[in-house]
Amino acid sequence: MEVLKIATAGSVDDGKSTLIGRLLYDTKSLTDDKLEAIEKTSKKKGYDYLDFSLATDGLVAEREQGITIDVAHIYFSTASKSYIIADTPGHVEYTRNMVTGASTSQAAIILIDARKGVIEQTNRHFFINNLLRIKDVIVAINKMDLIDFSEEKYNAIKADFEKLMSKRDYQDQKITFIPVSALKGDNVVNSSENMTWYQGQTLLEHLEELDRKDIFNVGTPRFPVQYVIRPKTEEFHDFRGFAGKVYGGELSVGDEVVVLPSMTRSKIKDIYFYDKKYKKATRRSSVTITLEDEVNVSRGDMLVKVDDLPTIDKQFTATISWMDSQKLTAGSKYVLQHGVNKVLAKVDRIHHKIQPDYSGIDAETDALGMNDIAQVSFKLNKPIFFDAFKNHRTNGSFILIDSQTNATSGVGFIN
C-alpha cells in the first residue's frame, strides 16, 4: 500500500494535535481503549466535547500544558493509503524538532488559527517547508467555528498568506487552502454543512488524491551502494550484486554508469528485486544491481549515469539548522555523514545567520546556538559526491555528528 508521510506545523494552540486526533477519530483509526481513555479524560476535565489532542500528545508535560513538545509519529490507514503524520512542535524553541519531523515528509499541513491569522510563526513554518523543498503544502485555516465560519475572514487570511508565498524561492510548491474546524470536524474528513461557500475538497480527500509522482521531487538518478551481496552458494557462486535505493530518477538495464569515487565505467547488466528481474528501477525503489564488468564497488560508493555526474569536492557551502546546545563556531570539527559515507569536516566560515521569519539576515554572527539557521562553509578531509539540495533532496543533504558525544548536532542542505 502507498505510504504518505506528512508533517504538521502551527503555532502553540492552533490545534495540530486536535486536527490529527479528529482525522483518527473520523477514519475510525482509534482503538476502543484509546477512545475510552479520551472520553474519560475529557469528562474528568469538565469538557462537553472529546479532547482529540489526547490522541497524540503523549508526554505528561504536553497534556498538562496543552502544547506539543516532542515530535510524535502517528500512523493510520484508509482503503487506499497508509499515512505517517509527524506532529511537530510549533514554538520557536522547538524549531529543530520541526526540521527533523519535516525532513522525511512529502507533504505538509500548516495550521493557522482563524482568530489570529498569519503570524510570525506562520512565516517560520512556511520558511522551513520552503527550505526543505516540501512539494505539497496544505494551509488549514482552523477554528472556523470561532469566527462564525466567515468566508470574508477566511479570504482575508488567504490573501495574507499569498503575500508570504511571494517571498519563497521554491516555486514548484503547490499550496492548497482549506477552512476547517478540527474540534467540530468541519472539512477534515467530512464536508462542512456550515461552510457551503467552500467548494473544495476536505483535508482527507486532498490527501487521498495526492499522487506519489507529484509529491516526490524529481532529480537525477543516484544509487548509493548500501551493501555488496555475495551469496557464495553453489547456485549463485559468482553472483556479485550491489544493493541500495534509487533516488531522484530511473535506472535501466543497459545504462552506462560511472562508479564514484573510482570513476570506473560499466553498464547495468541486471536489476533484481529479491528473486525477480526488472528492466527498469524507478525512483525510490530498493533493488540490487549487477554490472557487466568485474569492477571494484564497495559500500558508500555511488552509481550514476555517465553523462550526469554530481559535484565531487572537498569543500562547499550549506544552509545549516543547528540542533545542539554546544555552539557551532568557525574552526569546529565534526563528523559529516552524507548518505552512508562519513568524513571529517571543519567549519571554515559562518557567513550569516538567516531569520526564518523572512525578516532578513544577521551578518554579525560568529557562533550558532540551538535552533539557529545559517549559511556555513565547510572543508572536508576527503571529497564527497553531492548535488545542490534544491536539485536533489537526498544527495544534497547531510548531518553533522559530534565525535565526542556521538550526538547529531545539525543538519545541512548544500547550496
Side-chain angles (χ1 to χ4, degrees):
M1 185 180 285
E2 183 178 327
V3 178
L4 178 66
K5 297 178 182 177
I6 310 163
T8 61
S11 191
V12 174
D13 203 33
D14 278 351
K16 298 185 306 300
S17 300
T18 302
L19 178 70
I20 297 169
R22 170 60 73 175
L23 264 174
L24 298 175
Y25 180 74
D26 284 356
T27 56
K28 295 179 172 52
S29 302
L30 289 173
T31 58
D32 290 341
D33 59 331
K34 188 75 171 179
L35 184 56
E36 185 179 333
I38 291 172
E39 291 172 345
K40 185 177 179 181
T41 306
S42 299
K43 187 176 180 180
K44 185 178 178 181
K45 290 183 175 182
Y47 298 156
D48 59 355
Y49 56 86
L50 294 179
D51 183 2
F52 290 119
S53 67
L54 298 171
T56 59
D57 289 339
L59 300 178
V60 172
E62 292 178 323
R63 296 191 178 197
E64 287 177 348
Q65 299 178 55
I67 64 172
T68 300
I69 296 173
D70 200 4
V71 178
H73 288 91
I74 298 95
Y75 304 81
F76 76 99
S77 299
T78 62
S80 59
K81 269 194 182 89
S82 287
Y83 295 91
I84 304 173
I85 301 180
D87 183 19
T88 63
H91 199 275
V92 62
E93 292 179 44
Y94 305 115
T95 299
R96 59 179 181 152
N97 301 60
M98 183 185 167
V99 171
T100 303
S103 61
T104 58
S105 298
Q106 293 94 42
I109 302 170
I110 297 178
L111 263 76
I112 297 177
D113 188 325
R115 299 168 301 172
K116 302 173 185 175
V118 175
I119 58 175
E120 181 183 330
Q121 275 297 84
T122 310
N123 293 12
R124 189 181 304 273
H125 299 147
F126 185 61
F127 174 89
I128 291 174
N129 277 285
N130 183 69
L131 172 67
L132 293 174
R133 294 313 196 246
I134 305 297
K135 206 165 187 180
D136 197 280
V137 177
I138 302 160
V139 180
I141 301 174
N142 190 27
K143 303 191 179 183
M144 290 296 294
D145 54 305
L146 299 182
I147 60 167
D148 297 324
F149 303 101
S150 170
E151 180 182 8
E152 184 181 350
K153 290 182 180 179
Y154 164 77
N155 286 332
I157 295 170
K158 183 179 175 182
D160 287 342
F161 195 93
E162 286 171 342
K163 292 176 186 175
L164 179 59
M165 287 165 54
S166 65
K167 300 178 181 179
R168 61 180 171 166
D169 63 355
Y170 179 45
Q171 297 300 322
D172 288 342
Q173 238 169 13
K174 178 187 175 185
I175 311 292
T176 304
F177 296 90
I178 303 176
V180 303
S181 170
L183 189 63
K184 306 292 185 182
D186 294 80
N187 287 337
V188 179
V189 172
N190 304 307
S191 296
S192 172
E193 296 179 358
N194 298 304
M195 291 180 280
T196 52
W197 46 265
Y198 173 73
Q199 299 298 311
Q201 295 177 314
T202 67
L203 177 63
L204 185 63
E205 286 172 348
H206 179 82
L207 295 175
E208 288 283 272
E209 288 194 5
L210 284 183
D211 190 330
R212 287 171 66 93
K213 294 177 183 177
D214 295 332
I215 56 180
F216 286 117
N217 291 277
V218 179
T220 48
R222 302 287 183 246
F223 187 77
V225 176
Q226 295 184 23
Y227 192 73
V228 179
I229 297 178
R230 289 296 307 274
K232 295 184 179 179
T233 61
E234 284 299 322
E235 187 179 358
F236 301 102
H237 192 273
D238 296 320
F239 185 89
R240 189 162 177 262
F242 312 108
K245 190 170 185 174
V246 183
Y247 294 101
E250 297 180 340
L251 292 173
S252 302
V253 171
D255 281 348
E256 191 172 359
V257 293
V258 175
V259 181
L260 300 176
S262 67
M263 299 299 290
T264 309
R265 291 193 177 198
S266 186
K267 285 185 178 180
I268 295 178
K269 181 181 179 183
D270 292 304
I271 297 172
Y272 293 88
F273 179 78
Y274 188 52
D275 59 346
K276 293 183 174 61
K277 282 187 180 183
Y278 292 89
K279 291 293 184 183
K280 181 181 293 185
T282 57
R283 55 194 170 116
R284 302 193 70 81
S285 59
S286 296
V287 295
T288 299
I289 289 175
T290 61
L291 301 178
E292 290 186 356
D293 305 289
E294 286 293 330
V295 297
N296 182 27
V297 182
S298 305
R299 171 179 164 83
D301 290 354
M302 181 179 287
L303 304 183
V304 299
K305 291 185 178 181
V306 291
D307 55 353
D308 200 5
L309 297 181
T311 302
I312 304 172
D313 208 338
K314 293 171 65 175
Q315 56 187 11
F316 58 78
T317 300
T319 302
I320 299 297
S321 175
W322 195 242
M323 301 178 168
D324 206 336
S325 56
Q326 186 76 27
K327 291 184 181 295
L328 177 143
T329 57
S332 301
K333 296 179 180 179
Y334 299 92
V335 174
L336 184 148
Q337 180 161 348
H338 176 250
V340 296
N341 277 326
K342 289 184 178 180
V343 298
L344 295 178
K346 178 182 178 181
V347 178
D348 184 45
R349 179 186 170 194
I350 301 174
H351 295 272
H352 56 256
K353 194 184 298 184
I354 302 169
Q355 303 300 339
D357 58 359
Y358 288 103
S359 61
I361 62 172
D362 178 8
E364 301 299 321
T365 183
D366 56 3
L368 299 186
M370 188 184 293
N371 296 311
D372 282 343
I373 296 175
Q375 291 286 326
V376 180
S377 290
F378 293 90
K379 289 185 176 179
L380 315 179
N381 72 327
K382 64 178 183 179
I384 60 171
F385 11 99
F386 60 86
D387 296 282
F389 183 75
K390 66 179 181 180
N391 298 328
H392 208 293
R393 279 186 78 186
T394 305
N395 203 43
S397 57
F398 60 89
I399 62 172
L400 295 171
I401 302 169
D402 187 317
S403 58
Q404 301 297 316
T405 64
N406 209 34
T408 301
S409 297
V411 297
F413 314 100
I414 301 173
N415 293 354

